[in-house]
Amino acid sequence: MQPEPAVLLAVLALPFLGAALIPLVYRVLGERTAYFAAGVAAVCLALLFTQYGMEGRVVVEWIPQLNANLVLYLDGLAFLIALLASGVGVLIFTYSGGYMHGEPWQAKYYTSLLVFMGAMLGVALAADLIALFVFWELTSVASFVLIGHYQRSESSRYAARKSMLITVSGGLFMLVGFLLLRFVAADAIGQATFALVGSPDSMIANAEAMRAALEESGLYLPVLALVGIGAAAKSAQVPLHIWLPDAMEAPTPVSAFLHSATMVKAGVYLVGRFRPLLITDEWMLAFAVLGLVTMTVAAILAVGATDIKELLAYSTASHLGLIVAGFGIANVYGGETGVLHILNHAVFKASLFLVAGIVAHEAGTRAIAELGGLREDLPITAGITAIAALGMAGLPPFNGFYSKELLFEATYEVGLEHGGLWWLLPVVAVFGSVFTFLYSIRFLMLFFGEKPSGLGEVHRPPWAMLAPPLLLAGIASYQALSYTGILPQVFLSGIADPALASVSAGEEAHHFDIHFPTKLSPYVLMSVVTIALGAVAYPFYDRLHHGVRRVRSVDLLSPNAYYDGGIAALVSVSDYVPRYVQTRLLRTYASTVMLGVCALGLGGYAAAGADIPAIGQLAQSVAAFVAGPAGLAIAIVLGVALVGAVAVSVAPSHIAGVLTLSILGFMVAVFYVLASAPDLALTQLVIETLVLVIFLLVLDKLPAFYGDLDVREAIPDALVAAVVGITVTFTVLTTTTDRPDTIARFFVERAPVPDEHGHVLLDYGGGGNVVNVILVDFRALDTMGEISVVAMAALAVLTLVGMRNRGENA
């Protein structure tokens, strides 16, 4: 059944409309604006549920004449991501009502958060690559504002810039990949298109043809790399994960919303969405390895964390690695792993971020070493943490255990099928999971043991902060019980199964079959090994913690050191910009523009493989032309024009310069006469006379003396002039040599001039040259307008020349 266009459009538009109203609403409701925003998210969620079970695309016309429309698409995967964005959004806004009490800039906070939610819904529902890219980058812009919420804090500004640079740069790589896909679609589908999914002529509907065209053109690996970089940057994959821990400078509700359930899920959503289109052995090698390496490295870094939000940030990167690895593995269990862990991770990680907010808010510290024994003051929060943290650790029968079990099964099957080095996949999966177990138990132990003596009074949180994580813990408990078969598997059959169909690629129809294991299998044994090794290693947690921190302190091994070094180098380079580019001198700006145009022009010729003009052949053509009936006269005229051009450049005064320039113009007019173009010659004579008169009228306004020529300025000017001259010469020769009559012959062959037109030209225009007659007679008014434009441009140039000295003295 097709989704309702109005409903789907309303789901997308409501957050932006709500964001626009926030400044007014905040004036009326004050801090209760949180509940207005929660209401907007709840309406989006309710509207989304009315479309449950529907699949299809919706076209919202924008500029039909240009075929520019907004195309939305709803299927199982889009529904899952949109459900997380709006559903978790309701809880986050409600939680913010308590957490943000007394915090500054709340109107900006709720506006940005609603814009972010709308952008995330756009990412989920976009059916074409352009819409996907626009909403993708909009999430980066909104997150930049949210991460830098405490804008007067240097650490917040640093974190916001870091997030922006890495995620937006990744998006630009992704955009290049999208453009290559459109280019290849012309051969694979028969038309260049940005349609990704939802129509018969979309890329995913023609996945096999697209893959064949990509491989045939040699663009498969570049596209895979470009799309992979975009996904890795957004979902914090190693080594692009470094922005995520710093992003914890944002208020905790932002961390819970962006960095557990939504923004970072955009990257894994991209991998899942492109899985049916690009899946091959190369795909599996790239994403399975990237995901497992991220999962392991980030889990190890989480053990070295000293702050509870830092621990959760590295944990998020680790679990995103698990999802990417799942989508990367080219078997049915890989797809199951990715889909199920998106759902499980959003539930338990959002709970834990909200718990971290409660702890920081009520205990006044986020330092792990200063926390302990919190269960006495926060008993309900301790219960929530137990359910969520044990799910994160992958312990049975909590929800995270089942998606971890699917990862073990997927990697084991890959090793069994391919053998050799592919057996490293299950080994790395177990190794990384051991560290996941360790930091999960460490987080849980914040609530047990003895309360540190330095920890002051811990207050009970308000219900507005307690209810959201409590609800999420209830959902996690329901998931765990349903997986064991005690309760109906609503989430599996209703949400995960349709999403699994969206990411399946060539596999047979498959459905989730999740149950508590009752017999020993290789994957169950892998889980047993993970838990046993984790339990044995936990008593040595402090040693591991200090060891990880010592390794992190080595700059050579730290991606942050490379990032900071790169930024410092860019800042140093940027210091040269005011000195050499923004000099406030006309000469500098003109040179920059001219060199830029030349670089683009010559680069375009190089990219297009333009031939170097045959100078020898051109010389022969010129010699043959000169040897013609009027050749000697033309040679003399052009020679005088050349002398005039040289004389202009060395003229000792303005009057001499203008007069010699006129000699050049009049010689060109004479050349037109000799070349049988009297109309063109007449036009040239009129323009030349007019220009001469204008120059004479304004001559006394020009500076009498420009100053002595400085060799240090003259040499760069000469180089710029040489580059411009070479570019123009190359352009003229390239466009005329060897094919002087190409355009004329093309039109003469396909649309010859009717006989009667010759009479028309002669009778009404008095000439036989169709171009001249059209310009001078039939389109005389247009030509006058064009001349006026040239005159106005000349006056503008004169004005700039007159301001020259003023600019230099400024």
Side-chain angles (χ1 to χ4, degrees):
M1 186 180 295
Q2 286 286 325
E4 289 290 334
V7 175
L8 220 53
L9 187 60
V11 170
L12 182 60
L14 273 176
F16 295 106
L17 181 61
L21 293 175
I22 285 292
L24 296 176
V25 173
Y26 188 76
R27 287 176 178 270
V28 177
L29 299 180
E31 292 192 348
R32 286 174 292 179
T33 302
Y35 305 111
F36 167 79
V40 172
V43 172
C44 291
L45 181 63
L47 289 174
L48 192 65
F49 270 119
T50 65
Q51 304 303 296
Y52 175 74
M54 299 182 184
E55 180 173 347
R57 70 173 191 158
V58 169
V59 179
V60 182
E61 290 189 346
W62 180 28
I63 309 176
Q65 294 83 355
L66 300 179
N67 198 27
N69 305 311
L70 174 63
V71 185
L72 306 178
Y73 179 69
L74 184 66
D75 65 350
L77 184 60
F79 185 85
L80 170 61
I81 300 299
L83 178 69
L84 293 177
S86 55
V88 177
V90 175
L91 302 178
I92 295 300
F93 284 119
T94 304
Y95 182 89
S96 298
Y99 185 91
M100 295 298 289
H101 174 65
E103 293 287 327
W105 308 305
Q106 292 194 31
K108 181 189 73 172
Y109 171 83
Y110 291 115
T111 300
S112 306
L113 213 53
L114 276 174
V115 168
F116 175 83
M117 191 181 83
M120 196 61 210
L121 288 170
V123 169
L125 298 175
D128 67 70
L129 297 177
I130 293 298
L132 175 59
F133 173 75
V134 170
F135 287 117
W136 177 282
E137 294 296 43
L138 188 55
T139 62
S140 297
V141 174
S143 70
F144 169 78
V145 178
L146 289 166
I147 294 170
H149 178 73
Y150 300 113
Q151 58 202 42
R152 292 176 184 168
S153 164
E154 176 58 32
S155 57
S156 291
R157 294 197 298 271
Y158 172 82
R161 281 195 302 268
K162 196 174 190 178
S163 165
M164 186 81 163
L165 280 174
I166 293 177
T167 59
V168 170
S169 300
L172 295 178
F173 279 97
M174 185 185 72
L175 177 62
V176 176
F178 287 176
L179 295 176
L180 292 179
L181 283 172
R182 175 184 164 83
F183 172 74
V184 171
D187 293 331
I189 307 176
Q191 61 175 339
T193 179
F194 284 113
L196 176 64
V197 65
S199 62
D201 60 349
S202 66
M203 296 178 187
I204 290 181
N206 300 274
E208 290 188 10
M210 284 292 297
R211 282 196 296 272
L214 283 167
E215 290 173 353
E216 184 178 350
S217 61
L219 291 175
Y220 177 81
L221 291 179
V223 167
L224 183 66
L226 292 166
V227 173
I229 290 172
K234 188 72 94 178
S235 59
Q237 300 296 288
V238 170
L240 303 177
H241 66 287
I242 53 175
W243 66 269
L244 188 56
D246 290 298
M248 296 302 115
E249 290 291 332
T252 297
V254 173
S255 302
F257 194 32
L258 274 66
H259 308 135
S260 68
T262 52
M263 179 177 169
V264 290
K265 290 293 192 303
V268 296
Y269 164 79
L270 189 76
V271 179
R273 179 58 84 192
F274 274 79
R275 189 172 185 263
L277 176 62
L278 297 177
I279 192 165
T280 58
D281 288 343
E282 292 84 357
W283 166 280
M284 184 164 73
L285 180 64
F287 285 105
V289 171
L290 174 67
L292 288 175
V293 168
T294 300
M295 173 184 161
T296 303
V297 171
I300 293 172
L301 292 173
V303 171
T306 57
D307 179 291
I308 52 176
K309 286 185 69 176
E310 182 191 9
L311 184 151
L312 293 178
Y314 283 122
S315 163
T316 297
S318 175
H319 284 271
L320 292 172
L322 189 158
I323 298 170
V324 168
F327 281 141
I329 294 173
N331 60 35
V332 293
Y333 306 111
E336 288 186 4
T337 303
V339 169
L340 188 61
H341 206 63
I342 285 179
L343 189 59
N344 290 340
H345 177 255
V347 173
F348 68 66
K349 188 52 65 64
S351 306
L352 291 174
F353 267 115
L354 297 182
V355 165
I358 291 174
V359 170
H361 201 264
E362 307 305 332
T365 180
R366 296 182 346 208
I368 294 175
E370 298 174 2
L371 294 167
L374 295 173
R375 72 181 188 285
E376 296 177 1
D377 300 303
L378 303 171
I380 299 177
T381 308
I384 295 170
T385 305
I387 295 170
L390 293 177
M392 181 166 69
L395 258 68
F398 297 94
N399 60 351
F401 165 75
Y402 297 92
S403 40
K404 184 68 70 64
E405 189 81 350
L406 280 172
L407 176 69
F408 290 159
E409 188 170 2
T411 53
Y412 178 82
E413 292 295 334
V414 170
L416 198 61
E417 180 180 354
H418 299 280
L421 292 176
W422 288 103
W423 280 112
L424 287 174
L425 296 187
V427 173
V428 175
V430 170
F431 181 72
S433 298
V434 171
F435 288 91
T436 302
F437 176 91
L438 288 172
Y439 69 70
S440 300
I441 299 302
R442 183 65 187 91
F443 190 91
L444 178 62
M445 293 308 292
L446 297 176
F447 293 84
F448 297 93
E450 294 185 3
K451 187 175 178 179
S453 56
L455 186 61
E457 184 180 359
V458 180
H459 307 282
R460 295 288 175 92
W463 275 102
M465 293 178 64
L466 199 55
L470 188 60
L471 178 60
L472 289 169
I475 294 174
S477 301
Y478 183 92
Q479 286 177 313
L481 293 174
S482 68
Y483 297 157
T484 59
I486 297 175
L487 295 174
Q489 296 186 337
V490 174
F491 290 99
L492 273 183
S493 59
I495 298 174
D497 254 341
L500 179 60
S502 300
V503 303
S504 297
E507 301 117 351
E508 297 179 356
H510 196 76
H511 299 279
F512 279 101
D513 181 20
I514 303 294
H515 56 271
F516 189 81
T518 56
K519 61 181 181 181
L520 189 63
S521 66
Y523 348 115
V524 172
L525 186 60
M526 292 165 73
S527 292
V528 171
V529 170
T530 299
I531 296 169
L533 289 176
V536 170
Y538 187 76
F540 306 99
Y541 188 92
D542 288 342
R543 292 186 182 181
L544 291 170
H545 169 80
H546 294 301
V548 171
R549 294 202 66 79
R550 279 196 294 272
V551 173
R552 282 179 54 181
S553 64
V554 179
D555 285 347
L556 193 63
L557 301 176
S558 171
N560 276 309
Y562 294 105
Y563 170 83
D564 292 335
I567 294 298
L570 288 176
V571 170
S572 300
V573 172
S574 68
D575 290 340
Y576 291 97
V577 173
R579 188 182 306 172
Y580 294 107
V581 179
Q582 296 177 342
T583 60
R584 304 166 74 180
L585 295 176
L586 179 61
R587 174 189 289 106
T588 306
Y589 298 144
S591 300
T592 305
V593 172
M594 289 180 186
L595 290 176
V597 171
C598 292
L600 289 175
L602 295 175
Y605 292 138
D611 296 330
I612 298 176
I615 302 297
Q617 185 179 353
L618 180 66
Q620 292 177 2
S621 300
V622 172
F625 181 74
V626 171
L632 181 59
I634 291 176
I636 294 173
V637 169
L638 293 180
V640 174
L642 185 60
V643 171
V646 174
V648 170
S649 61
V650 297
S653 67
H654 293 320
I655 293 179
V658 170
L659 292 178
T660 49
L661 185 64
S662 296
I663 292 173
L664 171 62
F666 285 121
M667 288 302 103
V668 172
V670 174
F671 167 75
Y672 287 148
V673 171
L674 296 175
S676 303
D679 295 341
L680 199 56
L682 178 61
T683 307
Q684 174 70 21
L685 285 172
V686 172
I687 293 177
E688 199 57 44
T689 304
L690 183 63
V691 170
L692 176 61
V693 171
I694 292 175
F695 265 123
L696 292 175
L697 289 175
V698 300
L699 210 55
D700 64 330
K701 303 296 182 184
L702 295 176
F705 181 66
Y706 288 112
D708 295 326
L709 182 64
D710 188 337
V711 177
R712 290 174 300 177
E713 293 179 351
I715 292 177
D717 289 350
L719 291 175
V720 172
V723 172
V724 172
I726 290 171
T727 304
V728 172
T729 303
F730 190 86
T731 301
V732 171
L733 295 179
T734 302
T735 54
T736 56
T737 305
D738 292 335
R739 43 186 184 279
D741 298 327
T742 302
I743 296 177
R745 187 166 56 248
F746 178 86
F747 284 108
V748 168
E749 291 175 353
R750 289 162 178 78
V753 179
D755 294 336
E756 62 270 24
H757 283 191
H759 299 289
V760 171
L761 297 177
L762 288 174
D763 295 343
Y764 294 94
N769 187 307
V770 62
V771 175
N772 292 345
V773 171
I774 289 175
L775 286 177
V776 178
D777 295 281
F778 296 126
R779 294 184 63 244
L781 194 60
D782 292 347
T783 304
M784 180 177 288
E786 292 163 0
I787 293 173
S788 302
V789 171
V790 173
M792 285 186 281
L795 290 174
V797 171
L798 182 63
T799 304
L800 290 175
V801 171
M803 296 173 63
R804 181 171 178 269
N805 288 335
R806 227 179 297 169
E808 287 179 340
N809 295 331

